[in-house]
């Protein structure tokens, strides 16, 4: 029994599911459900459809390079049955799955984390630059408690000092 | 528009759209066209004379997989936006294949075993 992958969305096709299209040049296209088949008939490119694995891989949403991907392969050769090997494989499978899910979770966490810090930094910088739009510089001078703690941005510091000097 | 099928009593099914869609099935898939374009020019054979095709099958656009009735029409086609878009698409990365789908699903490269007949 071979578990095939869907041409469009790369999900696993279990026996008795989906549909298969054989083109007149003998190329086989397998689809997991009518959704994928319809999208294929509409000539959509899976790399441009956001919910497919191909898109997610290409755009760094999912983990791309990992050692756990080396285990599942299409083997186009007969394998001699060996009871010990089968036993070991069965023992290893849940471990590999566990490792992979852990790594995927870490990848997702990493991906979500990165943007938050960047956004916060950008917002802080914008506030620093545009504070004169919220409060007039003269008011700020009178009440130093309103000013934000300074971030070290080299380009803007000499300018602000100059401005203060001018007002004085 | 589709042809008329007058014997159909159900209003919804009165028109057949099969003829309109027929051309859709005649064109080659993107990957076939791409493979054809990747071949070196020497391998390209002369276009066979086919009286069923427009212009005896002599005026062909390799990118769009279309036959034209004469040179003027074909050259006009080369100037169109659709053709240029298609050329750009074909210059880009190779179309999606089953192998791409399998790799995206987290599978490794297929294992074909050692070559048995080594020459």
């Amino acid at each position: 029994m071979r578990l095939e992958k869907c041409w469009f969305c790369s999900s696993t096709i279990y026996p008795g599911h989906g549909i298969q299209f054989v083109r007149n040049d003998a190329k086989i296209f397998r689809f997991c459900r009518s959704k994928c088949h319809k999208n294929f008939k509409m000539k959509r490119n899976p790399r441009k459809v956001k919910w497919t694995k191909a898109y997610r891989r290409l755009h760094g949403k999912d983990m791309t390079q990992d050692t756990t991907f080396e285990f599942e392969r299409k083997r186009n050769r007969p394998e001699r049955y060996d009871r010990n090997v089968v036993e070991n494989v069965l023992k290893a499978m849940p471990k590999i799955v566990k490792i992979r899910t852990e790594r995927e979770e870490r990848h997702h966490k990493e991906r979500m984390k990165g943007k938050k810090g960047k956004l916060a930094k950008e917002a802080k910088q914008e506030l620093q630059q545009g504070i004169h739009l919220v409060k007039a510089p003269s008011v700020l001078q009178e009440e130093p408690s309103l000013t934000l703690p300074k971030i070290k941005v080299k380009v803007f510091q000499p300018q602000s000092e100059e401005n203060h000097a001018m007002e004085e | 528009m589709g042809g008329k099928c007058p014997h159909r009593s159900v209003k919804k099914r009165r028109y057949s759209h099969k003829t309109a869609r027929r051309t859709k099935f005649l064109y080659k898939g993107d990957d076939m066209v791409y493979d054809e374009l990747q071949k070196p020019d020497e391998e390209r054979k002369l276009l066979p004379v086919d009286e069923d095709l427009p212009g005896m099958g002599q005026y062909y656009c390799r990118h769009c997989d279309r036959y034209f009735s004469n040179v003027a029409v074909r050259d006009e086609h080369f100037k169109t936006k659709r053709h240029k878009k298609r050329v750009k698409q074909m210059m880009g990365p190779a179309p999606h294949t089953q192998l791409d789908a399998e790799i995206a699903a987290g599978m490794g490269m297929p294992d074909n075993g050692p070559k048995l007949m080594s020459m």
Side-chain angles (χ1 to χ4, degrees), chain A residues 5-7 10 23-25 27-30 41 45-47 53-54 57 69 72-77 100, chain B residues 24 29 31-32 35 93-98 100-114:
Chain A
K5 299 287 179 206
C6 175
W7 183 88
S10 309
R23 205 165 57 185
N24 59 7
D25 65 338
K27 228 173 224 166
I28 298 172
F29 299 85
R30 293 189 177 85
K41 283 192 283 189
N45 186 356
R47 284 180 198 152
K53 274 278 171 197
R57 275 300 187 79
F69 294 148
E72 193 184 357
R73 300 167 86 182
K74 191 186 228 172
R75 278 169 235 278
N76 294 323
R77 58 166 160 174
R100 188 194 274 199
Chain B
K24 206 178 152 188
D31 50 333
M32 283 162 99
D35 289 346
H96 185 79
T97 58
Q98 182 69 44
D100 289 339
E102 276 163 16
I103 288 169
M107 277 169 87
M109 292 299 280
D111 175 15
N112 296 323

Side-chain angles (χ1 to χ4, degrees), chain A residues 93-117:
Chain A
M93 269 158 73
K95 264 184 207 167
I96 293 163
V97 168
K98 202 186 156 205
I99 291 168
R100 188 194 274 199
T101 46
E102 268 171 15
R103 284 181 185 172
E104 264 163 10
E105 261 168 37
R106 206 184 306 149
H107 174 89
H108 181 256
K109 221 175 172 182
E110 203 71 17
R111 189 160 71 83
M112 290 294 136
K113 195 172 73 186
K115 209 179 171 194
K116 216 173 179 181

